[in-house]
Amino acid sequence: MSDDDDELQRLIETRELVEERRRGPTIDRDVWIAVSKRIFSPGDRQPCYVCEKFKSITQAHHVIPLTSQYDGGFKYPDQEYVWLCPNHHTM
């Protein structure tokens, strides 16, 4: 199989997974997100990525929200994140 064939197969499998998840119960989504949050380990708090303040109250924010990852067909969660203060986290 060529690289193009591999890429096409991966896209087909992702599309099928997305369709399957759309038809499936929301409990599957909730469980996937809960497990993803449980295994998430961001380490020591850092200042806000936007304003560079409020280190003591920042929150880890997934760059791609977990709900979007699930709906987009991610098999495994992308745990890329940034630290945001509550003001910037709500934006």
Side-chain angles (χ1 to χ4, degrees):
M1 247 188 194
S2 71
D3 288 342
D4 289 339
D5 291 340
D6 290 343
E7 181 67 14
L8 180 59
Q9 183 61 36
R10 188 186 68 73
L11 290 172
I12 290 169
E13 289 171 1
T14 299
R15 175 84 173 157
E16 290 170 351
L17 181 59
V18 168
E19 290 302 318
E20 181 182 319
R21 286 181 173 178
R22 283 188 182 146
R23 291 187 305 269
T26 57
I27 189 75
D28 292 345
R29 181 184 198 207
D30 295 343
V31 168
W32 190 90
I33 291 169
V35 169
S36 299
K37 287 180 178 181
R38 180 176 272 189
I39 63 173
F40 179 58
S41 179
D44 294 336
R45 234 178 256 260
Q46 300 297 316
C48 176
Y49 181 77
V50 178
C51 66
E52 299 180 353
K53 299 178 183 177
F54 309 112
K55 180 178 177 179
S56 64
I57 59 171
T58 54
Q59 304 161 343
H61 171 76
H62 284 88
V63 174
I64 303 172
L66 293 173
T67 54
S68 298
Q69 291 182 40
Y70 181 86
D71 293 342
F74 283 51
K75 289 183 181 179
Y76 307 102
D78 177 348
Q79 301 289 20
E80 184 178 358
Y81 67 95
V82 294
W83 289 100
L84 296 174
C85 68
N87 292 331
H88 290 112
H89 200 186
T90 59
M91 294 181 154

